[in-house]
Every structure is written in structure tokens, then in C-alpha cells.
Amino acid sequence: MELKNKRIVVTGAGSGIGKETVLQMLKHENVKILACDLNEKNVVSHPNVIPYKCDVSKPENLDKLLKDADKKLGGIDIFFANAGFAYYEIIPEASWDRIDRIFRTNVYSPFYTLVSLNKHRTSPCLFVVTASAMSHLPLPGYALYSATKASVRSFLDAYQCELRPGNRTMIVYPIATRTQFFDSAGNKVPVPFPSQTAETVAKQIVNGILRDKKEVFPSFLFRFIQILDRFLFFPLKIYQKIEAVKLNSHKS
């Protein structure tokens, strides 16, 4: 797929991976981007970028977003569902509202958007979604976040069989990315090792789009450790124990 002349929607576009991906996409000729964020003032200022305020955790907002994208862009060629957040915690108590809040943004929103695009549009669309390395390796402190990203991975694996001809998906598995993500997850949250920059992830996302990839692993090191663990059965368990020590130290 070429990015030239593509009409693109990016959620979570005001910071981190979303903002960097917008910058990388703008390097291609005549792309038009509807950049969505809770605070649209943080969106990149560019003639080909339309800032758009949107809380993607509500279905009525997503319905409006898709309609407005048609009006403002003339259609959607690529939808990048990037908005999401995490809690970093030893879960203090059973809270239905707290669980519902993170699943609404990280899970319900991309599911609802993908099904809407697939069922109600005849023109082909590429749906890109940010999962996480934690969907393969759940980490202590991120139990709910890891669960949301594992849900995204499982859903896309199964839903491939229901896509209309021409529609495609691409799922991205970043490792810890040095952005405001960890600041919003809690107070002085330790960044897991290894980590990478948002620019690195964004470049891999754009490269994945251009090469028609179904999955993108921006970190070669994580991919190598993941494959190694299939044969040795212990590297990832050791990593989890190290992160558990960090969690207990952080909360003490």
C-alpha cells in the first residue's frame, strides 16, 4: 500500500506513538489526516492535519467520528486505533467502574470501530491497532492493561475470517515506549526494560503499512526473546519476576 493521497484517521494523536505516526505519515505526498485526541490542541499543526476532539470510549462519539471523517476527508482509507491507557498498580479492590473504564477505551472502542468499518462501508479500509508486547507477556502491575491488549490480539486473530474482501488489519506490538504513557499510568512509574522511542515505533508502523504487514514488532530484541522462550521456557518468567520486584518496591 502507498500512503500517497490516503485519507487517514488517527486516535490518540496528541502525544506519544500517535503523534509521531502522524509526523511520519506527513512525509508522504498529499496525505490527509483527521487527528483525534481528548485534547485536540496537542495535535500536530499542519495544513494536511485536521485536529478533532473525541472521547473514543463512547459509541456515540465513534459514530460521529466516522461520519465526520467522511465529511472532512471524503472517506477513510486507513483507521489507526491508537488511543489507550494503563493503570500501574497492585489492584486494591474489586471495582467494576475502574475495569469498565479501561476496557471501554482499550477494547470496546477498537472492536466497535473495526466492526462498523467492516459492516457498513463498501470501500476497502486498512484498520491498524496498537496492542502491546504485554499482550504476549503480561507484566506485574499491568494486569488490567495486559488483559485489554490480549483481548485486542485475540479478537483480530478471529475476526480476520469475517472481513469483507479488500479490508485488512494490522496489529502493532510495541514494547515500553518512552512517552507520557507511563506518567499517566501512575506516580513515578518505572519504565520496563527494554524500552524504545515513539519515533522508532512510528517508523515501523508506517513501514508495516507500506509492506502490507499483518503484524508489526518494533523491537527485534523482544521478538528474539519471545522466540527463545518457546524453546527454553524460562526467560519470560524470569523477566516477570524482575518486574514484580519493581512493583513491590514502587508501592512500598
Side-chain angles (χ1 to χ4, degrees), residues 19 26 42-49 51:
K19 192 170 189 175
L26 287 172
N42 293 333
V43 166
V44 173
S45 178
H46 189 278
N48 288 13
V49 175

Side-chain angles (χ1 to χ4, degrees), residues 115-125 159-168:
V115 174
S116 295
L117 290 169
N118 188 51
K119 293 296 183 181
H120 304 303
R121 291 166 181 262
T122 55
S123 57
C125 180
Y159 196 66
Q160 298 292 327
C161 300
E162 300 183 38
L163 293 176
R164 287 176 180 266
N167 286 345
R168 298 186 297 109

Side-chain angles (χ1 to χ4, degrees), residues 2-250:
E2 291 187 3
L3 281 175
K4 181 180 178 180
N5 299 322
K6 289 296 184 287
R7 302 160 297 180
I8 306 168
V9 177
V10 179
T11 66
S15 62
I17 293 172
K19 192 170 189 175
E20 286 295 334
T21 302
V22 169
L23 289 170
Q24 295 299 320
M25 288 175 166
L26 287 172
K27 294 179 180 180
H28 296 260
E29 186 179 349
N30 200 36
V31 296
K32 294 193 294 183
I33 303 174
L34 188 64
C36 312
D37 199 84
L38 285 171
N39 187 353
E40 76 281 13
K41 295 179 181 179
N42 293 333
V43 166
V44 173
S45 178
H46 189 278
N48 288 13
V49 175
I50 303 171
Y52 187 90
K53 184 174 183 178
C54 185
D55 178 359
V56 299
S57 68
K58 299 178 180 179
E60 60 270 22
N61 292 350
L62 292 170
D63 290 337
K64 186 175 185 302
L65 169 60
L66 296 179
K67 290 180 181 179
D68 286 346
D70 287 334
K71 294 176 183 177
K72 296 175 183 294
L73 300 178
I76 302 173
D77 298 307
I78 301 172
F79 193 105
F80 180 22
N82 172 68
F85 70 95
Y87 304 128
Y88 183 70
E89 61 184 359
I90 295 175
I91 299 175
E93 60 181 358
S95 171
W96 188 280
D97 289 341
R98 191 168 174 80
I99 295 169
D100 184 61
R101 179 172 173 258
I102 193 170
F103 268 79
R104 277 181 173 271
T105 299
N106 293 12
V107 180
Y108 305 163
S109 175
F111 288 8
Y112 184 87
T113 304
L114 175 55
V115 174
S116 295
L117 290 169
N118 188 51
K119 293 296 183 181
H120 304 303
R121 291 166 181 262
T122 55
S123 57
C125 180
L126 169 63
F127 184 82
V128 182
V129 62
T130 304
S132 169
M134 291 190 206
S135 66
H136 290 275
L137 174 61
L139 290 184
Y142 296 98
L144 286 172
Y145 178 74
S146 297
T148 64
K149 295 307 182 180
S151 296
V152 169
R153 178 167 65 90
S154 294
F155 182 82
L156 261 69
D157 281 348
Y159 196 66
Q160 298 292 327
C161 300
E162 300 183 38
L163 293 176
R164 287 176 180 266
N167 286 345
R168 298 186 297 109
T169 64
M170 187 180 87
I171 187 165
V172 187
Y173 299 102
I175 59 171
T177 308
R178 298 189 290 275
T179 67
Q180 297 175 355
F181 174 86
F182 292 98
D183 294 333
S184 63
N187 183 32
K188 297 181 179 179
V189 173
V191 179
F193 173 85
S195 64
Q196 58 192 175
T197 65
E199 182 182 4
T200 297
V201 178
K203 287 180 177 179
Q204 290 296 321
I205 289 171
V206 171
N207 183 58
I209 293 172
L210 296 175
R211 296 176 62 185
D212 294 330
K213 287 190 174 183
K214 292 185 177 180
E215 294 182 307
V216 172
F217 291 86
S219 170
F220 172 79
L221 178 59
F222 173 77
R223 191 60 167 155
F224 173 75
I225 294 174
Q226 186 185 30
I227 294 171
L228 185 66
D229 187 72
R230 294 178 183 176
F231 301 96
L232 299 180
F233 307 108
F234 66 82
L236 296 184
K237 291 298 181 184
I238 293 174
Y239 182 55
Q240 284 180 318
K241 289 181 179 180
I242 293 171
E243 292 301 321
V245 171
K246 288 184 183 179
L247 173 64
N248 290 324
S249 298
H250 179 265

